[in-house]
Amino acid sequence: MSVKKKVFAIAATMTMVGGLSAAGLLPAAASTPSCYGVGDCYNYYGPDFGDSFVLDVLRQGEKVGQPIIQFRNSGSDPAEDFVYDDEGTVADFYAAGLVSESLTKTYGTDNAFELEYAPYGVDSGLCAGVATTAGNGTPVALEACGVSSKTVWVDDVANNWDGYIPLINGSDTNFSHPYVLHYPGNGYPTDMPRPQLNTYMLQEYANGEVFDNELWAENDNCYDC
């Protein structure tokens, strides 16, 4: 059992004692059949490029600091295999000691998760996250899972636009304009060098709609659906 899962096992036990219920898991999706076979395999795409381009680990590098990019959706590329670790709400992550009390006060009932890189369905112990507290332009890369709020992402359901939502980084300290998963505005997935995702302050048009490059939806390219 990973450190992360041990932490949540302890938290779950404490939650049961307190009489609260645990959240259920979401349905599985995947990039490769092997990843789909382990369950809860997900990826994300944005409205800018549609589901033709999804999250990808640059050159399949399985190491801390390896950049997260977007690349062509493929049923055979293990760099696009991520396991969605849905551990419940922000409040649950706070109970496990992974996010701040301030974040919980603002987003406590919102869903929170980690996105673990799992090429061919094999857990790497590395999740999409940031190395330092999220801010404008903070690079998103592989970081150790279950260690801090920096690999936690929060569904910003209050800003749902046609099924797309911003994903707030768990280390966020700006609650009026949170730092969210952001694709570089002048980039395209086939550019060289590949544009790396980062965090950036939530940006909105005059009508309140969130910028397309800060909106995300779950990829539903699964097998035996």
Side-chain angles (χ1 to χ4, degrees), residues 18 36 39 47 77 83 88 90 99 104 106 120 148 157-158 171 194 203 217:
Y36 174 66
D77 184 359
V83 171
V90 172
V99 299
T104 307
T106 307
Y120 296 115
S148 75
V157 293
S171 69
R194 305 294 187 214
Q203 301 173 89

Side-chain angles (χ1 to χ4, degrees), residues 46-48 180-186 203 205 210-216:
D48 266 353
V180 299
L181 186 64
H182 170 99
Y183 191 83
N186 59 349
Q203 301 173 89
Y205 297 104
V210 176
F211 282 19
D212 284 354
N213 62 331
E214 295 183 343
L215 290 170
W216 303 93

Side-chain angles (χ1 to χ4, degrees), residues 46-133:
D48 266 353
F49 315 119
D51 61 4
S52 295
F53 293 94
V54 297
L55 300 187
D56 181 290
V57 176
L58 182 65
R59 301 191 186 95
Q60 303 178 23
E62 193 173 322
K63 62 181 181 179
V64 169
Q66 191 71 6
I68 302 297
I69 62 172
Q70 279 189 276
F71 205 62
R72 292 186 183 88
N73 191 350
S74 168
S76 59
D77 184 359
E80 297 173 0
D81 286 349
F82 290 88
V83 171
Y84 181 99
D85 287 322
D86 173 25
E87 303 289 0
T89 65
V90 172
D92 294 324
F93 274 80
Y94 174 66
L98 288 179
V99 299
S100 70
E101 183 178 3
S102 298
L103 186 78
T104 307
K105 286 180 178 178
T106 307
Y107 303 106
T109 59
D110 288 340
N111 186 68
F113 64 94
E114 288 186 300
L115 202 61
E116 182 174 4
Y117 181 43
Y120 296 115
V122 179
D123 291 351
S124 67
L126 300 172
C127 289
V130 292
T132 60
T133 301

Side-chain angles (χ1 to χ4, degrees), residues 119-212:
Y120 296 115
V122 179
D123 291 351
S124 67
L126 300 172
C127 289
V130 292
T132 60
T133 301
N136 282 341
T138 306
V140 173
L142 291 181
E143 305 293 342
C145 300
V147 175
S148 75
S149 59
K150 298 178 181 69
T151 55
V152 177
W153 299 94
V154 179
D155 291 336
D156 186 7
V157 293
N159 282 301
N160 186 320
W161 292 92
D162 295 327
Y164 293 93
I165 59 174
L167 300 177
I168 302 168
N169 186 262
S171 69
D172 180 66
T173 57
N174 185 343
F175 304 119
S176 57
H177 297 89
Y179 293 108
V180 299
L181 186 64
H182 170 99
Y183 191 83
N186 59 349
Y188 193 81
T190 56
D191 288 348
M192 292 294 290
R194 305 294 187 214
Q196 182 175 2
L197 275 73
N198 56 43
T199 58
Y200 209 89
M201 187 180 295
L202 185 71
Q203 301 173 89
E204 299 174 319
Y205 297 104
N207 67 352
E209 184 174 351
V210 176
F211 282 19
D212 284 354

